[in-house]
Amino acid sequence: MCGIIGYVGSRPCKDLILAGLERLEYRGYDSAGIVLLEADGFHTVRAVGNLAELRRAAGEGGSSATTGMGHTRWATHGRVTEANAHPHADASGRITVVMNGIVENYARLRSELQDQGVVFLSQTDAEVIPHLIAQHYEGDLVAALRATLVHLKGHFTIVAASADEPGRLVAYRQQTPLVVGVGDGERFVASAIPAFLRETREIIVIESGEIVVVEADTVVIHRGGDVVSREATRVEWDEDAAEKGGFESFMLKEIHEQPAALRDTIGDRLSLGGDIDLPGLGLDDAALSRVERVQVVACGTSFHAGLVGRYLIEDWAQVPVNVEVASEYRYRTCLAGPGDLVIGITQSGETADTLAAMRVARERGAHVVALTNIMGSQAVRDADGVLYTRAGLEIGVAATKTHTAQVVALALLALKLGRARHVLSAAGAADLGDELARIPDLLQEYLESPDAAHAMTVGEKYADRPFFLYLGRHVGMPVSYEGALKLKEISYVPTEAYPAGEMKHGPIALLEDGSPVVVVATDGHVFDKVISNIQEVRARGAQVIAVATRGNEDIAAHAEDVMWVPRTPPLLSPILAVVPLQLFAYALARARGLNVDQPRNLAKTVTVE
């Protein structure tokens, strides 16, 4: 959830660390801090607010320090205050730590340390760590951290430094992410690659349960009592991938990157004859034909992608699908078994609840596949197979291109299952594959058309409204859920989303004269039912904003505003229908003067419960 960067090398590192934190600000941005190892010891600066506040607090003066760490915080324990911002130090100030994650048993550890006379300066769980390290420290930071870890329970990444061991950082990963950047005579540690992408593209991914020691010219990985050898790999992202590319925000840039993300996700997996090649699943066609049930576990936007996938898999492969909220699934009685294919959808590959749900299902004997955007992520290591989206780096907290890429990946999986189970003929799969392959071009054409601009105009029109209701049926239902989530995430406007057929069972009571109701009304076998629902809300004085298939002029008589999308087979329509809702929410939030890339109280990667 929080962002971490550390540096050891020969260059003054103050500006390197501040720049790295700016690239991680999407991970947490309610406060931030930096610590530099100067000749006379650690110098720490913290600030509440965004990185501009930390830069002001750190001042314009230079520093000769060549070892340091930075942290951008998303509060979990303790209020948003300067005292609660990281880094945290022991009483002597000789040990300093930054942490991402949660120490679940910190209250007991804090109480025990206070009984021993330790004085705490914050309310955070992280502060117990430097005090524990100090108790075990006898000149060897690795040994002291190892001894400290015995006492800690939770999911976290720790980076620690000692003033008595200059030029060295020691880090540990327990499920939450950690990567090392390898430069010429310098090393970085960070929560995510963008933190040091400007300086190096050579990375080493640290596995859960490993301690890594970084110095200017070395990286030493400890796993248990062994030293692990691991070569650096090169990432293909360039610096421009983490910049806005001329757009006014990362979110708008990433909305417009969706055609490329979908093309890359389809890539070479789909042949002209309808054959689907997904070798990473870990299941051949014979094993896929024996799948008795598919279970999808996911959170948030990924959950909505899973709901779309359910319609595709059940229709094209004739296998029952359950889609579960991962945070609930992990605590229910798990009935998964050897006949089940469980798909954990997590764009980061680090979502704590989804990882836990995947592990529960795997322990029960299910075949677990990670659907993720990040190679080498924890989800990939925990799963029996993997299905990658290829959306590229997504900085905006509100997911856009990763969502549509997830739906496309699920469509590929549905085709693969349909062929393996002989539900789809070769010709039928080829026809569907052709339609799927057209989607990126249709989306590109849409984003360059007046229809996309019109969706933003409609969003601006309704920017002053205090409440929205979103409705949809069949595949339109998850689209309405995702559209409503986008509006809530970036505009903070109270919004409800319901299956349109459920409206009469309660939500209709929310409507009054002028209430805006957003209805997903693309073509399909339930279109007439949707029109009936529209008539019901208009009879209560609601104003209808419809998402409809281009060419269906009948809808205009039933809505105050229509946002058009290109025509596709109905089951593929969610990939396109969600995009005007992204633009609608984006324009509405911008009209309200809000920062769409950094919505309040949210972070890009939810690595804690």
Side-chain angles (χ1 to χ4, degrees):
M1 192 72 73
C2 303
I4 291 170
I5 182 172
Y7 174 88
V8 290
S10 58
R11 289 193 282 170
C13 63
K14 176 183 174 182
D15 288 339
L16 289 171
I17 292 172
L18 288 170
L21 286 178
E22 287 169 348
R23 302 292 290 276
L24 291 176
E25 196 171 11
Y26 67 96
R27 292 183 64 88
Y29 41 83
D30 55 44
S31 57
I34 184 172
V35 60
L36 303 173
L37 182 53
E38 306 281 6
D40 59 346
F42 289 119
H43 287 207
T44 300
V45 179
R46 305 184 189 91
V48 171
N50 60 26
L51 264 296
E53 298 300 325
L54 180 63
R55 276 198 177 274
R56 278 192 283 271
E60 297 296 330
S63 167
S64 60
T66 58
T67 301
M69 301 184 298
H71 185 275
T72 180
R73 181 173 185 248
W74 189 86
T76 56
H77 292 75
R79 295 182 61 82
V80 179
T81 64
E82 186 176 317
N84 287 333
H86 299 213
H88 294 292
D90 75 313
S92 73
R94 305 294 287 176
I95 303 291
T96 189
V97 163
V98 292
M99 186 195 83
N100 168 32
I102 287 178
V103 179
E104 295 176 358
N105 61 334
Y106 89 101
R108 178 179 61 79
L109 295 172
R110 183 186 179 101
S111 178
E112 292 173 354
L113 288 165
Q114 287 174 324
D115 289 344
Q116 298 166 24
V118 173
V119 176
F120 283 81
L121 303 179
S122 78
Q123 289 76 50
T124 68
D125 53 339
E127 196 184 353
V128 302
I129 297 171
H131 293 298
L132 288 170
I133 291 175
Q135 288 188 345
H136 295 289
Y137 188 74
E138 296 179 354
D140 184 345
L141 187 57
V142 175
L145 178 58
R146 196 188 303 276
T148 296
L149 294 172
V150 174
H151 301 282
L152 303 180
K153 179 182 178 182
H155 308 98
F156 40 75
T157 293
I158 299 165
V159 183
S162 168
D164 298 321
E165 299 179 52
R168 169 179 286 190
L169 297 176
V170 179
Y172 173 78
R173 172 185 180 176
Q174 180 62 38
Q175 296 188 9
T176 56
L178 179 66
V179 290
V180 173
V182 178
D184 184 10
E186 59 188 8
R187 301 292 185 268
F188 299 82
V189 293
S191 302
I193 296 168
F196 51 73
L197 191 62
R198 186 172 297 168
E199 310 301 329
T200 180
R201 284 189 272 172
E202 300 295 322
I203 70 159
I204 299 173
V205 176
I206 305 305
E207 304 280 355
S208 186
E210 293 179 341
I211 292 175
V212 59
V213 183
V214 295
E215 298 181 354
D217 293 306
T218 61
V219 176
V220 180
I221 301 171
H222 300 263
R223 186 172 188 87
D226 301 323
V227 174
V228 178
S229 177
R230 188 171 302 145
E231 295 296 321
T233 59
R234 185 173 180 82
V235 296
E236 295 306 319
W237 295 339
D238 58 23
E239 187 179 342
D240 289 341
E243 301 298 337
K244 295 178 183 177
F247 289 92
E248 63 183 10
S249 68
F250 285 116
M251 183 178 177
L252 188 59
K253 172 178 177 282
E254 288 154 6
I255 288 172
H256 283 264
E257 288 175 341
Q258 289 179 106
L262 303 190
R263 288 188 189 99
D264 289 346
T265 296
I266 294 171
D268 56 357
R269 294 162 164 172
L270 176 62
S271 73
L272 292 175
D275 290 333
I276 307 295
D277 186 24
L278 303 175
L281 293 179
L283 294 170
D284 59 19
D285 284 357
L288 286 171
S289 71
R290 295 192 294 270
V291 169
E292 298 172 5
R293 177 177 58 171
V294 175
Q295 298 190 51
V296 177
V297 291
C299 301
T301 288
S302 296
F303 174 75
H304 299 154
L307 290 174
V308 178
R310 175 175 64 189
Y311 290 97
L312 296 167
I313 294 170
E314 288 186 341
D315 192 273
W316 294 350
Q318 300 288 295
V319 60
V321 181
N322 296 331
V323 186
E324 308 277 359
V325 175
S327 57
E328 292 297 319
Y329 182 93
R330 65 181 292 190
Y331 292 115
R332 283 176 35 213
T333 300
C334 181
L335 300 179
D340 291 332
L341 171 60
V342 174
I343 305 166
I345 310 179
T346 158
Q347 69 86 19
S348 67
E350 306 287 349
T351 306
D353 288 317
T354 304
L355 294 176
M358 291 166 61
R359 293 182 191 121
V360 168
R362 198 176 186 205
E363 288 168 1
R364 292 278 302 179
H367 185 89
V368 176
V369 170
L371 200 170
T372 182
N373 195 47
I374 304 298
M375 294 184 180
S377 60
Q378 190 65 46
V380 175
R381 290 187 290 280
D382 285 352
D384 301 299
V386 63
L387 177 55
Y388 285 114
T389 53
R390 298 163 177 167
L393 185 63
E394 186 175 71
I395 298 294
V397 170
T400 52
K401 64 178 180 176
T402 53
H403 170 73
T404 50
Q406 287 168 349
V407 176
V408 165
L410 288 167
L412 292 169
L413 177 60
L415 287 173
K416 180 73 171 176
L417 275 167
R419 288 293 293 125
R421 293 169 60 82
H422 304 292
V423 175
L424 291 176
S425 66
D431 289 344
L432 290 171
D434 289 344
E435 294 289 352
L436 181 61
R438 290 179 59 239
I439 294 290
D441 290 338
L442 289 174
L443 182 50
Q444 185 78 52
E445 178 265 329
Y446 167 79
L447 288 168
E448 295 172 355
S449 75
D451 289 333
H454 177 67
M456 296 183 71
T457 299
V458 176
E460 293 169 356
K461 175 181 175 180
Y462 291 89
D464 63 342
R465 301 304 176 90
F467 166 76
F468 286 80
L469 178 65
Y470 279 60
L471 300 173
R473 297 187 83 126
H474 198 250
V475 291
M477 180 192 69
V479 176
S480 71
Y481 289 174
E482 176 60 13
L485 178 61
K486 285 294 153 287
L487 190 66
K488 286 183 278 193
E489 284 178 321
I490 63 174
S491 75
Y492 321 143
V493 177
T495 307
E496 293 278 1
Y498 272 86
E502 284 293 292
M503 177 187 56
K504 295 187 291 294
H505 298 275
I508 200 168
L510 296 169
L511 300 181
E512 56 188 30
D513 192 50
S515 294
V517 179
V518 180
V519 183
V520 180
T522 49
D523 289 356
H525 69 286
V526 295
F527 178 78
D528 290 341
K529 299 294 184 183
V530 173
I531 293 298
S532 295
N533 297 136
I534 288 175
Q535 291 169 340
E536 289 166 347
V537 301
R538 295 191 87 197
R540 274 76 182 176
Q543 292 182 292
V544 172
I545 305 158
V547 177
T549 304
R550 189 184 294 156
N552 185 352
E553 301 300 333
D554 292 344
I555 191 68
H558 302 284
E560 279 65 37
D561 293 280
V562 181
M563 298 184 288
W564 303 103
V565 294
R567 185 178 302 280
T568 63
L571 285 178
L572 293 176
S573 66
I575 306 169
L576 296 176
V578 75
V579 179
L581 297 182
Q582 295 170 351
L583 293 168
F584 175 86
Y586 177 87
L588 191 150
R590 292 287 290 181
R592 293 168 69 93
L594 299 172
N595 184 340
V596 297
D597 286 335
Q598 296 177 353
R600 69 188 182 200
N601 302 330
L602 297 177
K604 184 65 177 171
T605 305
V606 184
T607 57
V608 297
E609 284 193 68

